[in-house]
Every structure is written in structure tokens, then in C-alpha cells.
Amino acid sequence: MENSTNIAVSQVITPAELLAHWQGHRRVTRRTIEAFPEDAFFNHTIGGMRPFANMVMELLAIGVPGLKEIVEGKREAFNEDFKHDNKKATFLKLWDDTTDAINTYWAQLKPEQFQENVILFGQYEGTVWSQIFYFIENEIHHRAQGYVYLRALGIEPPLFYVRD
Amino acid sequence: MENSTNIAVSQVITPAELLAHWQGHRRVTRRTIEAFPEDAFFNHTIGGMRPFANMVMELLAIGVPGLKEIVEGKREAFNEDFKHDNKKATFLKLWDDTTDAINTYWAQLKPEQFQENVILFGQYEGTVWSQIFYFIENEIHHRAQGYVYLRALGIEPPLFYVRD
């Protein structure tokens, strides 16, 4: 018990804190999806980039399948181009399903796994922490591009630092 | 020694890994600055947002002063609007000076500090890890906006996932 107390105190960030941090960012991304007008979410672009809907499809293709592969060790397919009905409500539903699934898989992740090396989707190799950081940071990266799309449309994006 | 070995194995991410991760992102941001044409770096905007130079000034105002305040415990001024000579070379020089200064201050950061609560710049309160995550993620956020500026200019941004 002495030992585990020491471990907890010396953590830069605990697994529970990292999960809460990720879900906080995911709430901001959800608000970013909500801020888009229905058509602009699927059609608005700048400089030949993808519409924000396609970036969100990428995020959905990474979060749960990536975490599931880390936890279960079975290769997952990377599918960022799924069929949908061009409705924002469908994306928000998928987003919320993902929130629950991330919590479920996270509970199966062992603290000692974060420093282990894994290959995801058959090609991306790195420690588990670096994979999860990539999931979060890739989301921040694309969401920030969504912020520029919103500004170009004259719409105020959600506050970056409010994570509730 | 048994004890510290256990601690190292159970870390989600070690202080050294977090520093290397941050500096990896900072190399990508440096390449983003380099990718801008001289005048566009200071003038190009979308949707009423700041030019990328001003976003970089914000990043320079956060990184070293924020880390210095964490390490030394003395309130730092937040100065994101410093005088400059409208030259990208000046910003790249400041960027490289910041790289060295971050390494220097990081060496003074103790592992047990990451879970401590601090107030930075007289107003931002949170654990040390959350402050440093904010520094990194705010950089990712604004750099991604720089990526859209570059795309709008017909310029290919640096690869997000190459951190060398």
C-alpha cells in the first residue's frame, strides 16, 4: 500500500485524469459540431481541405477502434469513410455512443500498459500513451481547423478552455 | 531503488517523455512558421482571426514564462504583444531560444510537482500537468489554424505526425 501511494503521488498524470481530460476535449468537439449550420457541416471547406463532417468521421474512426485494439489486442479496421444520412444529428448520436464506449474500454486498460509498445490499424507503432495522446491531439488539430471554418462563416466557435 | 523502478514502470508518461513530446510538437510549429511566406506570416488572416505571427507571439508568451513561474513560483507577466521587426527570422530566433529555455527550466521541475496546484499569470489555476498540457494543446490548436491559413494560400503544411 505504501508502494501504490508513492506511485500515485509521483504520476505526471493518472489514467483517470487522462480519460477525464480526453472526454473534456470531446465535449468541446461536440459543441463545435453543434455550432455548424447543417449544410456547412457537410459542405463548407477552405483551401481544398475536407468539410468538418469528414474530419469528424476520421475522429470517430480512431477513438473507439484504436482504444479497442489497445485493450483487446486484435487488429481493427480503419474506416473513416462510412455511409451516413447527411444529418448532423446522426453524427452527434455517434459522438455520444463513442463517449460511452471510450469509458467502457478505458476501464479495461491496465496502468502498466501505457508504456507498452503497440501497432494500431496494422501500421502505427508507438507506446500506448503516445497512441492515446495522438488520438486527443489529432482531435484538437482538426477541431481547430473547424474553428477557422466557423470563423469564416461568421460563427463564434466554442471556448477552447471550457471543458465541462 | 526497487521503489523507483516500480514508479517508472507504472507512469502513464514520464517527465522526460512529456518534455520530448512537447519539443517534438514545437519542431512541427517551427516548420509551420518556416512554411509561411514572409508577408503572409504577418498579414494573412481568415474570418477576422489574428495573423499567424500573433498566434506565435501568444505561444512565446506562454511557454517559457509559464514554465518559469511553475519552477520558480514567482508571478510572471503575460506579454503576447511584444515589439518586433516584422521579420520571420526574428520569430525563428525567439523560437529557438525558447527551445533551450524550456529544456533548462524543465530540468528544475520535480516529478512530484506535476500533481500540485498552481495559479499562473495571476489567474489560471490548475495542476502543473494540466498547465503544461494546456501549453502544448494551445500550440496544437493555433498551429492547426496556421495549417488552414497555409492551405488557403495554396501551401502544403508540414506533416502533423512527423515530430523529428
Side-chain angles (χ1 to χ4, degrees):
Chain A
M1 278 307 284
E2 273 296 307
N3 212 349
S4 35
T5 304
N6 284 343
I7 289 167
V9 168
S10 297
Q11 282 275 12
V12 169
I13 182 170
T14 68
E17 287 167 336
L18 185 57
L19 172 62
H21 185 72
W22 186 9
Q23 295 288 22
H25 272 298
R26 295 187 68 264
R27 283 188 284 273
V28 181
T29 306
R30 192 186 198 286
R31 286 197 283 271
T32 309
I33 298 169
E34 286 180 307
F36 271 86
E38 190 77 27
D39 59 338
F41 181 66
F42 295 99
N43 299 320
H44 182 65
T45 68
I46 294 176
M49 297 176 70
R50 294 171 289 174
F52 193 57
N54 291 61
M55 297 184 188
V56 173
M57 287 166 82
E58 178 188 312
L59 303 180
L60 291 167
I62 289 175
V64 170
L67 192 55
K68 187 164 183 276
E69 182 163 354
I70 289 168
V71 168
E72 298 187 345
K74 282 182 295 196
R75 179 167 169 179
E76 288 284 324
F78 182 67
N79 178 21
E80 60 174 339
D81 194 21
F82 54 86
K83 282 203 189 305
H84 60 82
D85 58 3
N86 274 296
K87 289 197 169 71
K88 246 176 53 176
T90 304
F91 279 72
L92 289 170
K93 171 73 167 63
L94 288 170
W95 197 258
D96 294 340
D97 292 347
T98 292
T99 303
D100 295 337
I102 286 172
N103 288 338
T104 301
Y105 286 114
W106 196 275
Q108 300 171 46
L109 196 54
K110 297 179 191 72
E112 60 270 25
Q113 282 185 271
F114 287 93
Q115 290 287 339
E116 289 175 8
N117 221 50
V118 289
I119 298 173
L120 296 190
F121 304 112
Q123 56 177 317
Y124 306 107
E125 186 172 3
T127 55
V128 165
W129 74 257
S130 73
Q131 305 279 6
I132 293 166
F133 274 47
Y134 192 90
F135 303 167
I136 299 170
E137 293 172 349
N138 183 60
E139 177 170 338
I140 295 166
H141 176 75
H142 288 307
R143 185 183 62 211
Q145 299 176 331
Y147 274 42
V148 184
Y149 287 11
L150 287 172
R151 288 282 184 195
L153 293 164
I155 297 166
E156 175 111 0
L159 292 171
F160 175 74
Y161 54 86
V162 176
R163 308 287 167 80
D164 300 337
Chain B
M1 281 307 283
E2 273 297 307
N3 212 350
S4 36
T5 305
N6 284 344
I7 289 167
V9 168
S10 297
Q11 282 275 12
V12 169
I13 182 170
T14 67
E17 286 168 336
L18 185 56
L19 172 61
H21 185 72
W22 186 8
Q23 295 288 22
H25 272 298
R26 295 187 68 263
R27 283 187 285 273
V28 182
T29 306
R30 192 186 199 284
R31 287 196 282 272
T32 308
I33 298 169
E34 286 181 308
F36 271 85
E38 190 77 26
D39 59 338
F41 181 66
F42 295 99
N43 299 319
H44 181 65
T45 69
I46 293 176
M49 297 174 70
R50 294 171 289 174
F52 194 56
N54 292 62
M55 296 183 188
V56 173
M57 286 166 83
E58 178 187 311
L59 303 180
L60 290 168
I62 289 175
V64 170
L67 192 54
K68 186 165 184 276
E69 182 162 355
I70 290 169
V71 169
E72 299 187 345
K74 282 181 297 195
R75 179 167 170 180
E76 288 285 322
F78 182 66
N79 178 21
E80 61 174 337
D81 194 20
F82 54 85
K83 282 204 189 307
H84 60 80
D85 58 3
N86 274 297
K87 289 199 169 72
K88 247 176 55 177
T90 304
F91 280 71
L92 290 170
K93 171 72 166 63
L94 288 170
W95 198 258
D96 295 338
D97 291 347
T98 293
T99 304
D100 295 338
I102 287 172
N103 289 338
T104 301
Y105 286 115
W106 196 275
Q108 300 171 45
L109 196 53
K110 296 180 191 70
E112 60 271 23
Q113 281 185 274
F114 288 93
Q115 290 286 339
E116 289 175 10
N117 221 48
V118 287
I119 298 172
L120 296 190
F121 303 112
Q123 57 177 316
Y124 305 108
E125 186 171 3
T127 56
V128 166
W129 74 258
S130 73
Q131 305 278 6
I132 294 167
F133 274 45
Y134 192 91
F135 302 167
I136 299 171
E137 294 172 348
N138 183 58
E139 176 170 337
I140 294 167
H141 176 75
H142 288 307
R143 185 183 62 212
Q145 299 175 330
Y147 274 42
V148 185
Y149 286 11
L150 286 172
R151 289 282 185 196
L153 293 164
I155 296 165
E156 176 111 0
L159 292 171
F160 175 73
Y161 54 86
V162 175
R163 309 285 168 80
D164 300 338

